[in-house]
Amino acid sequence: MHVFRCIRESCGAAYPLAENIHTCPRCGGLLDVEYAFDREAAAQWPALWSGRRASLRKLDSSGVWRFRELIPFISEPESAELVATLGEGNTPLLDSAAAAGFAGLDAIRFKHQGFNPTGSFKDNGMTCGVTRARALGMRLVGCVSTGNTSASMAAYASYAGLVPVVFIPHGEIALGKLAQALEYGAVTFQVEANFDQILRLIFRMAESLGLYLLNSVNPFRLEGQKTIMAELLEQCGWREPDWIVLPGGNLGNVSAFGKGLRELRDLGLIRRLPRLAVIQAEGAAPLCRMMESAAAELRPVERPQTLATAIKIGAPVSWPKAVRELRASGGVCVAVSEQEIADAKAVIGRAGIGCEPASAATLAGARKLRAAGVVGPDQDVVAILTGHLLKDPDYILRYHAGELECGGRPLESRLANRPRIVAAEAAALEAALREATGDRLTAGG
Ligand code: F0G
């Protein structure tokens, strides 16, 4: 039978999936969704999944529900009606010689979750979260967000006929994300506090407000996000990469990836676990500090600071799950500076790939791990780009104008690309074009 299972070793309580709970009613611990998989059948699943790529059925066109044997919290006849899908997943795996060179690696591949319907990996989770809300008959759904979760929830909830309510830190989320929440029709509250403070408040109030909470403490969100690993492994021909590098904020994604990979291994679909590397911004790195000091508990960062606002989080809710997955996979956590993030982001942009600031922490982190000798030059590294470049246009324009600063400290714009103002006159245009492109043409691009 499929159940909720409390992840605390001292508790381990199980509850039927029919219950509407997010955390363990007995001890307050985080919950996993635990399935009784049919291990015998699993050997056939990769063929089934790849066969569905040719299908035009709604469920098969989703890069999450195509892998539905891995997320059987809803039975198939039901799911056709209940599933809220915008065609999420199906994201590309892109390589870049320039990015690899920057990191000191022979090669690096980017799994770009920014290609999702609302431009972030949250869509992979939200299709499951909103489907679950529908299955429970909930009408009002809510989340606290640094921007991407709110954009994604707004879209999926409105599409499914539910009412989305978002709580975001006032003035601290990227413009593209706020614009999405408004356009997708979310009731939007800009709360005068930081993400951690708002989450604490709303978590306490959700039930009395009648809100179905769709933050990543909701285990069904993580069930959707774990399918990113199935899709990645399929793209890798079921050959495990050595490393999977991802940014860490509230630590839901690393928890989802770790669980997904362990399940694939236990089902015999992969032989070993890739090592997970979580990258945090220096000003918001509570997990890195915890791992460095070998502490038993996470000590929150009171005033997190980073221009990568998506991961500006000091008290990540899912840290116990994250620690479990880092231990299981021999993983690591590394902090990178604002300058390192800015440099890496510009390299990813110049490669024609592009991403939002938090996502670029992955390349900065891979470079740091390579320099420290933790990652070998010929190891197979996949970095997860979590959000689309257009999420945060303000950061980009400031970077290219040489105006980025964090905490009063200016950042260097090493790959600044400034627009040129030119007269509407043929000779001037021609001269300006020759001057601007000459070097790049002789350098081969
Ligand atoms: N990258 C991006 C672009 C994000 O939006 C987030 C989280 C992360 C990385 C970190 O993922 O929290 O699972 O460790 N954004 C959340 C939000 C918190 O509200 O949109 P995580």
Side-chain angles (χ1 to χ4, degrees), residues 121-122 145-146 148-149 247-253 310-311 313 356 358 386:
F121 71 100
K122 305 290 181 179
S145 178
T146 56
N148 279 322
T149 300
N250 216 15
L251 303 176
N253 214 23
I311 51 172
I313 294 177
E356 68 163 283
T386 44

Side-chain angles (χ1 to χ4, degrees), residues 295-378:
E297 296 275 318
L298 180 132
R299 185 123 60 80
V301 171
E302 283 305 324
R303 278 201 190 74
Q305 202 178 38
T306 170
L307 296 180
T309 50
I311 51 172
K312 192 172 173 181
I313 294 177
V317 168
S318 290
W319 71 263
K321 285 187 176 179
V323 168
R324 174 180 70 175
E325 302 310 341
L326 290 186
R327 288 205 180 117
S329 74
V332 295
C333 184
V334 179
V336 291
S337 70
E338 294 300 307
Q339 186 64 56
E340 288 170 319
I341 294 173
D343 291 346
K345 177 167 149 52
V347 168
I348 295 168
R350 189 56 81 94
I353 294 172
C355 65
E356 68 163 283
S359 309
T362 56
L363 180 61
R367 183 172 198 253
K368 207 158 180 173
L369 287 167
R370 173 67 208 103
V374 179
V375 173
D378 56 355

Side-chain angles (χ1 to χ4, degrees), residues 225-393:
Q225 285 168 217
K226 93 185 176 188
T227 65
I228 298 169
M229 291 297 99
E231 189 177 275
L232 170 65
L233 265 301
E234 183 185 59
Q235 286 167 313
C236 294
W238 299 100
R239 268 220 320 272
E240 313 84 348
D242 295 308
W243 289 93
I244 294 173
V245 186
L246 73 161
N250 216 15
L251 303 176
N253 214 23
V254 60
S255 306
F257 285 9
K259 179 175 189 275
L261 291 164
R262 283 188 292 110
E263 287 174 353
L264 292 175
R265 182 201 53 193
D266 295 345
L267 289 165
L269 300 183
I270 54 174
R271 278 159 299 128
R272 63 183 171 90
L273 298 178
R275 297 176 73 181
L276 294 167
V278 173
I279 317 299
Q280 298 197 297
E282 272 175 4
L287 180 68
C288 297
R289 287 193 197 161
M290 179 189 170
M291 304 287 283
E292 270 162 25
S293 62
E297 296 275 318
L298 180 132
R299 185 123 60 80
V301 171
E302 283 305 324
R303 278 201 190 74
Q305 202 178 38
T306 170
L307 296 180
T309 50
I311 51 172
K312 192 172 173 181
I313 294 177
V317 168
S318 290
W319 71 263
K321 285 187 176 179
V323 168
R324 174 180 70 175
E325 302 310 341
L326 290 186
R327 288 205 180 117
S329 74
V332 295
C333 184
V334 179
V336 291
S337 70
E338 294 300 307
Q339 186 64 56
E340 288 170 319
I341 294 173
D343 291 346
K345 177 167 149 52
V347 168
I348 295 168
R350 189 56 81 94
I353 294 172
C355 65
E356 68 163 283
S359 309
T362 56
L363 180 61
R367 183 172 198 253
K368 207 158 180 173
L369 287 167
R370 173 67 208 103
V374 179
V375 173
D378 56 355
Q379 283 198 296
D380 185 3
V381 178
V382 173
I384 310 294
L385 299 181
T386 44
H388 195 279
L389 167 137
L390 286 174
K391 290 280 188 175
D392 195 347

Side-chain angles (χ1 to χ4, degrees), residues 32-249:
D32 274 335
V33 179
E34 190 182 276
Y35 302 110
F37 285 121
D38 179 355
R39 286 185 48 108
E40 304 265 292
Q44 309 306 320
W45 291 351
L48 185 66
W49 296 332
S50 66
R52 284 179 186 151
R53 273 192 303 195
S55 160
L56 297 176
R57 279 186 63 202
K58 187 177 77 169
L59 278 192
D60 296 342
S61 306
S62 159
V64 170
W65 296 96
R66 191 157 66 81
F67 301 100
R68 54 192 172 272
E69 285 71 18
L70 294 173
I71 48 172
F73 64 86
I74 207 153
S75 57
E76 182 144 6
E78 252 182 309
S79 56
E81 266 172 52
L82 285 173
V83 168
T85 172
L86 290 167
E88 54 288 325
N90 298 314
T91 62
L93 192 57
L94 308 168
D95 55 10
S96 163
F102 174 79
L105 293 164
D106 294 348
I108 189 166
R109 288 179 294 173
F110 295 104
K111 173 92 175 131
H112 205 327
Q113 295 306 112
F115 281 64
N116 266 298
T118 79
S120 84
F121 71 100
K122 305 290 181 179
D123 294 346
N124 299 72
M126 205 53 74
T127 183
C128 287
V130 167
T131 298
R132 167 74 177 174
R134 261 182 161 176
L136 291 173
M138 301 297 289
R139 294 286 328 279
L140 203 60
V141 294
C143 69
V144 179
S145 178
T146 56
N148 279 322
T149 300
S150 49
S152 180
M153 192 193 76
Y156 279 79
S158 288
Y159 189 71
L162 311 182
V163 181
V165 184
V166 309
F167 303 90
I168 49 181
H170 186 30
E172 291 195 27
I173 80 166
L175 271 187
K177 305 174 188 179
L178 175 59
Q180 285 179 295
L182 299 176
E183 187 82 356
Y184 292 133
V187 177
T188 303
F189 292 104
Q190 296 188 289
V191 186
E192 287 173 327
N194 71 26
F195 173 87
D196 304 303
Q197 295 161 331
I198 308 170
L199 187 57
R200 228 173 288 141
L201 182 68
I202 299 302
F203 197 68
R204 271 205 314 269
M205 295 177 64
E207 205 175 322
S208 63
L209 293 173
L211 280 180
Y212 183 69
L213 203 63
L214 281 170
N215 277 91
S216 56
V217 66
N218 183 322
F220 296 97
R221 280 264 320 275
L222 303 190
E223 288 305 296
Q225 285 168 217
K226 93 185 176 188
T227 65
I228 298 169
M229 291 297 99
E231 189 177 275
L232 170 65
L233 265 301
E234 183 185 59
Q235 286 167 313
C236 294
W238 299 100
R239 268 220 320 272
E240 313 84 348
D242 295 308
W243 289 93
I244 294 173
V245 186
L246 73 161

